[in-house]
Amino acid sequence: NWAGNQQSRPVIIERPFSETEVCAIVKGAVLAGQRVKAVGSGHSFTGIAVPDEVMIDLTRMNNVVNIDKPNGLVTVQAGIVLSDLNAQLEMHQLSMPNLGDVTYQTLAGAVSTSTHGTGLRRTGLAAQIRSFKMVTAAGEVLVCSPQENAEFFHCGRVSLGALGVITEVTLNVVPAFNLRAVEQPMRISDVLDNYSQLIEENDFFEFYWVPHTKWALTKANNVTSDAIDSPGRFATWYNKMFLENYAF
């Protein structure tokens, strides 16, 4: 996995391209008496996605199925990586309302593990989902929404992979927007004393306390109509990796 603290040696690794293939894989595993586990990009720190028998790697199921711009909806295969989805949405001047800190997760993995992002008036990824399809242990496709199989819909959005293999997701998107980011150190006492004000006044706010010090790194992101140049690769590395993880 990403952290290097989990390893898996399954009996077989399946990399399907379609929902039909997922159904066949699950049915075959059931007939063989094998347990199935779907995995995404391997971001989870725990052993939740460490299968011993059949691993379904969803990363080949990474296509955008439909973009409904007038209604603010996008339907995608569950294995699409968030960074790739963002790039596809940007081509249509669309954006996800909120994101977590990591964009190399698959959409299904990010949703299933309750990735949330920040922002007092912004929901987590699970609340952006309008419907999804899931292959059950019987190898059947279940369509889940607030109107259809509602109980599975409410539980399945953050199911940790326990209810089945999510294969397709339809989620809300919004018109693309720019963010102005301000990152600065603050005394942890000031952050805690003014926390309610900080989250009220910023569209997105988070902080990282530096252990054994009196300091925190704060990150405030606010929607802006100003044109903002995207940073280059070196600037991104310098700001995200060097300053945040080493210098600060």
PDB file of all heavy atoms in Angstrom, residues 173-191:
ATOM      1  N   VAL A 173     -21.686  17.504  -9.447  1.00  0.00           N
ATOM      2  CA  VAL A 173     -20.543  18.360  -9.732  1.00  0.00           C
ATOM      3  C   VAL A 173     -21.046  19.794  -9.840  1.00  0.00           C
ATOM      4  O   VAL A 173     -22.246  20.047  -9.962  1.00  0.00           O
ATOM      5  CB  VAL A 173     -19.810  17.941 -11.029  1.00  0.00           C
ATOM      6  CG1 VAL A 173     -19.100  16.612 -10.838  1.00  0.00           C
ATOM      7  CG2 VAL A 173     -20.783  17.858 -12.206  1.00  0.00           C
ATOM      8  N   VAL A 174     -20.118  20.736  -9.788  1.00  0.00           N
ATOM      9  CA  VAL A 174     -20.465  22.156  -9.798  1.00  0.00           C
ATOM     10  C   VAL A 174     -19.626  22.863 -10.854  1.00  0.00           C
ATOM     11  O   VAL A 174     -18.629  22.310 -11.349  1.00  0.00           O
ATOM     12  CB  VAL A 174     -20.211  22.790  -8.409  1.00  0.00           C
ATOM     13  CG1 VAL A 174     -21.090  22.146  -7.353  1.00  0.00           C
ATOM     14  CG2 VAL A 174     -18.739  22.687  -8.023  1.00  0.00           C
ATOM     15  N   PRO A 175     -19.993  24.089 -11.238  1.00  0.00           N
ATOM     16  CA  PRO A 175     -19.144  24.843 -12.161  1.00  0.00           C
ATOM     17  C   PRO A 175     -17.738  25.009 -11.582  1.00  0.00           C
ATOM     18  O   PRO A 175     -17.564  25.177 -10.369  1.00  0.00           O
ATOM     19  CB  PRO A 175     -19.865  26.194 -12.270  1.00  0.00           C
ATOM     20  CG  PRO A 175     -21.298  25.880 -11.980  1.00  0.00           C
ATOM     21  CD  PRO A 175     -21.262  24.789 -10.937  1.00  0.00           C
ATOM     22  N   ALA A 176     -16.746  24.950 -12.450  1.00  0.00           N
ATOM     23  CA  ALA A 176     -15.350  25.046 -12.003  1.00  0.00           C
ATOM     24  C   ALA A 176     -15.110  26.365 -11.274  1.00  0.00           C
ATOM     25  O   ALA A 176     -15.722  27.396 -11.594  1.00  0.00           O
ATOM     26  CB  ALA A 176     -14.411  24.922 -13.197  1.00  0.00           C
ATOM     27  N   PHE A 177     -14.234  26.341 -10.293  1.00  0.00           N
ATOM     28  CA  PHE A 177     -13.934  27.548  -9.525  1.00  0.00           C
ATOM     29  C   PHE A 177     -12.459  27.559  -9.142  1.00  0.00           C
ATOM     30  O   PHE A 177     -11.808  26.514  -9.079  1.00  0.00           O
ATOM     31  CB  PHE A 177     -14.801  27.629  -8.261  1.00  0.00           C
ATOM     32  CG  PHE A 177     -14.693  26.428  -7.351  1.00  0.00           C
ATOM     33  CD1 PHE A 177     -13.772  26.378  -6.321  1.00  0.00           C
ATOM     34  CD2 PHE A 177     -15.542  25.335  -7.534  1.00  0.00           C
ATOM     35  CE1 PHE A 177     -13.674  25.275  -5.485  1.00  0.00           C
ATOM     36  CE2 PHE A 177     -15.458  24.217  -6.699  1.00  0.00           C
ATOM     37  CZ  PHE A 177     -14.524  24.193  -5.670  1.00  0.00           C
ATOM     38  N   ASN A 178     -11.946  28.748  -8.900  1.00  0.00           N
ATOM     39  CA  ASN A 178     -10.567  28.911  -8.451  1.00  0.00           C
ATOM     40  C   ASN A 178     -10.527  29.050  -6.936  1.00  0.00           C
ATOM     41  O   ASN A 178     -11.472  29.553  -6.323  1.00  0.00           O
ATOM     42  CB  ASN A 178      -9.929  30.153  -9.076  1.00  0.00           C
ATOM     43  CG  ASN A 178      -9.619  29.969 -10.549  1.00  0.00           C
ATOM     44  OD1 ASN A 178      -9.397  28.842 -11.009  1.00  0.00           O
ATOM     45  ND2 ASN A 178      -9.616  31.048 -11.305  1.00  0.00           N
ATOM     46  N   LEU A 179      -9.417  28.616  -6.368  1.00  0.00           N
ATOM     47  CA  LEU A 179      -9.185  28.778  -4.934  1.00  0.00           C
ATOM     48  C   LEU A 179      -7.912  29.588  -4.710  1.00  0.00           C
ATOM     49  O   LEU A 179      -6.914  29.388  -5.400  1.00  0.00           O
ATOM     50  CB  LEU A 179      -9.034  27.415  -4.246  1.00  0.00           C
ATOM     51  CG  LEU A 179     -10.284  26.548  -4.104  1.00  0.00           C
ATOM     52  CD1 LEU A 179      -9.906  25.187  -3.537  1.00  0.00           C
ATOM     53  CD2 LEU A 179     -11.307  27.229  -3.206  1.00  0.00           C
ATOM     54  N   ARG A 180      -7.991  30.499  -3.761  1.00  0.00           N
ATOM     55  CA  ARG A 180      -6.790  31.194  -3.324  1.00  0.00           C
ATOM     56  C   ARG A 180      -6.350  30.570  -1.999  1.00  0.00           C
ATOM     57  O   ARG A 180      -7.117  30.554  -1.026  1.00  0.00           O
ATOM     58  CB  ARG A 180      -7.043  32.693  -3.142  1.00  0.00           C
ATOM     59  CG  ARG A 180      -5.780  33.473  -2.726  1.00  0.00           C
ATOM     60  CD  ARG A 180      -6.023  34.966  -2.731  1.00  0.00           C
ATOM     61  NE  ARG A 180      -6.364  35.441  -4.065  1.00  0.00           N
ATOM     62  CZ  ARG A 180      -5.467  35.664  -5.025  1.00  0.00           C
ATOM     63  NH1 ARG A 180      -4.182  35.422  -4.802  1.00  0.00           N
ATOM     64  NH2 ARG A 180      -5.857  36.126  -6.194  1.00  0.00           N
ATOM     65  N   ALA A 181      -5.153  30.046  -1.981  1.00  0.00           N
ATOM     66  CA  ALA A 181      -4.645  29.337  -0.806  1.00  0.00           C
ATOM     67  C   ALA A 181      -3.685  30.214  -0.016  1.00  0.00           C
ATOM     68  O   ALA A 181      -2.795  30.847  -0.591  1.00  0.00           O
ATOM     69  CB  ALA A 181      -3.935  28.058  -1.229  1.00  0.00           C
ATOM     70  N   VAL A 182      -3.890  30.233   1.288  1.00  0.00           N
ATOM     71  CA  VAL A 182      -2.963  30.921   2.195  1.00  0.00           C
ATOM     72  C   VAL A 182      -2.525  29.907   3.242  1.00  0.00           C
ATOM     73  O   VAL A 182      -3.348  29.412   4.012  1.00  0.00           O
ATOM     74  CB  VAL A 182      -3.624  32.138   2.864  1.00  0.00           C
ATOM     75  CG1 VAL A 182      -2.655  32.775   3.856  1.00  0.00           C
ATOM     76  CG2 VAL A 182      -4.056  33.161   1.825  1.00  0.00           C
ATOM     77  N   GLU A 183      -1.241  29.608   3.256  1.00  0.00           N
ATOM     78  CA  GLU A 183      -0.693  28.663   4.222  1.00  0.00           C
ATOM     79  C   GLU A 183       0.311  29.404   5.099  1.00  0.00           C
ATOM     80  O   GLU A 183       1.223  30.053   4.586  1.00  0.00           O
ATOM     81  CB  GLU A 183      -0.030  27.490   3.500  1.00  0.00           C
ATOM     82  CG  GLU A 183      -0.998  26.749   2.581  1.00  0.00           C
ATOM     83  CD  GLU A 183      -0.381  25.529   1.922  1.00  0.00           C
ATOM     84  OE1 GLU A 183       0.783  25.207   2.244  1.00  0.00           O
ATOM     85  OE2 GLU A 183      -1.062  24.906   1.087  1.00  0.00           O
ATOM     86  N   GLN A 184       0.131  29.296   6.398  1.00  0.00           N
ATOM     87  CA  GLN A 184       1.015  30.033   7.302  1.00  0.00           C
ATOM     88  C   GLN A 184       1.057  29.351   8.666  1.00  0.00           C
ATOM     89  O   GLN A 184       0.102  28.679   9.061  1.00  0.00           O
ATOM     90  CB  GLN A 184       0.525  31.478   7.460  1.00  0.00           C
ATOM     91  CG  GLN A 184      -0.876  31.594   8.015  1.00  0.00           C
ATOM     92  CD  GLN A 184      -1.359  33.027   8.107  1.00  0.00           C
ATOM     93  OE1 GLN A 184      -0.560  33.951   8.076  1.00  0.00           O
ATOM     94  NE2 GLN A 184      -2.669  33.228   8.210  1.00  0.00           N
ATOM     95  N   PRO A 185       2.148  29.534   9.391  1.00  0.00           N
ATOM     96  CA  PRO A 185       2.220  28.997  10.751  1.00  0.00           C
ATOM     97  C   PRO A 185       1.449  29.873  11.725  1.00  0.00           C
ATOM     98  O   PRO A 185       1.390  31.090  11.565  1.00  0.00           O
ATOM     99  CB  PRO A 185       3.724  29.016  11.056  1.00  0.00           C
ATOM    100  CG  PRO A 185       4.259  30.110  10.191  1.00  0.00           C
ATOM    101  CD  PRO A 185       3.415  30.141   8.964  1.00  0.00           C
ATOM    102  N   MET A 186       0.810  29.231  12.693  1.00  0.00           N
ATOM    103  CA  MET A 186       0.140  29.938  13.784  1.00  0.00           C
ATOM    104  C   MET A 186       0.410  29.183  15.073  1.00  0.00           C
ATOM    105  O   MET A 186       0.620  27.972  15.063  1.00  0.00           O
ATOM    106  CB  MET A 186      -1.379  30.006  13.561  1.00  0.00           C
ATOM    107  CG  MET A 186      -1.837  30.922  12.450  1.00  0.00           C
ATOM    108  SD  MET A 186      -3.655  30.884  12.247  1.00  0.00           S
ATOM    109  CE  MET A 186      -4.196  31.506  13.849  1.00  0.00           C
ATOM    110  N   ARG A 187       0.419  29.908  16.165  1.00  0.00           N
ATOM    111  CA  ARG A 187       0.543  29.219  17.448  1.00  0.00           C
ATOM    112  C   ARG A 187      -0.687  28.340  17.655  1.00  0.00           C
ATOM    113  O   ARG A 187      -1.811  28.752  17.395  1.00  0.00           O
ATOM    114  CB  ARG A 187       0.689  30.223  18.592  1.00  0.00           C
ATOM    115  CG  ARG A 187       2.047  30.915  18.611  1.00  0.00           C
ATOM    116  CD  ARG A 187       2.260  31.682  19.903  1.00  0.00           C
ATOM    117  NE  ARG A 187       3.611  32.211  19.969  1.00  0.00           N
ATOM    118  CZ  ARG A 187       4.662  31.525  20.435  1.00  0.00           C
ATOM    119  NH1 ARG A 187       4.491  30.291  20.883  1.00  0.00           N
ATOM    120  NH2 ARG A 187       5.860  32.077  20.467  1.00  0.00           N
ATOM    121  N   ILE A 188      -0.470  27.133  18.134  1.00  0.00           N
ATOM    122  CA  ILE A 188      -1.568  26.193  18.285  1.00  0.00           C
ATOM    123  C   ILE A 188      -2.623  26.740  19.249  1.00  0.00           C
ATOM    124  O   ILE A 188      -3.824  26.510  19.076  1.00  0.00           O
ATOM    125  CB  ILE A 188      -1.054  24.803  18.751  1.00  0.00           C
ATOM    126  CG1 ILE A 188      -2.187  23.769  18.749  1.00  0.00           C
ATOM    127  CG2 ILE A 188      -0.404  24.893  20.116  1.00  0.00           C
ATOM    128  CD1 ILE A 188      -2.760  23.478  17.399  1.00  0.00           C
ATOM    129  N   SER A 189      -2.199  27.505  20.239  1.00  0.00           N
ATOM    130  CA  SER A 189      -3.153  28.100  21.178  1.00  0.00           C
ATOM    131  C   SER A 189      -4.073  29.088  20.468  1.00  0.00           C
ATOM    132  O   SER A 189      -5.277  29.146  20.753  1.00  0.00           O
ATOM    133  CB  SER A 189      -2.408  28.806  22.321  1.00  0.00           C
ATOM    134  OG  SER A 189      -1.521  29.792  21.807  1.00  0.00           O
ATOM    135  N   ASP A 190      -3.525  29.852  19.527  1.00  0.00           N
ATOM    136  CA  ASP A 190      -4.347  30.799  18.763  1.00  0.00           C
ATOM    137  C   ASP A 190      -5.323  30.063  17.849  1.00  0.00           C
ATOM    138  O   ASP A 190      -6.474  30.484  17.680  1.00  0.00           O
ATOM    139  CB  ASP A 190      -3.454  31.726  17.928  1.00  0.00           C
ATOM    140  CG  ASP A 190      -2.629  32.671  18.795  1.00  0.00           C
ATOM    141  OD1 ASP A 190      -3.043  32.920  19.957  1.00  0.00           O
ATOM    142  OD2 ASP A 190      -1.588  33.160  18.320  1.00  0.00           O
ATOM    143  N   VAL A 191      -4.844  28.973  17.253  1.00  0.00           N
ATOM    144  CA  VAL A 191      -5.730  28.192  16.384  1.00  0.00           C
ATOM    145  C   VAL A 191      -6.911  27.651  17.177  1.00  0.00           C
ATOM    146  O   VAL A 191      -8.075  27.782  16.764  1.00  0.00           O
ATOM    147  CB  VAL A 191      -4.961  27.029  15.718  1.00  0.00           C
ATOM    148  CG1 VAL A 191      -5.925  26.135  14.933  1.00  0.00           C
ATOM    149  CG2 VAL A 191      -3.874  27.561  14.795  1.00  0.00           C
TER     150      VAL A 191
END
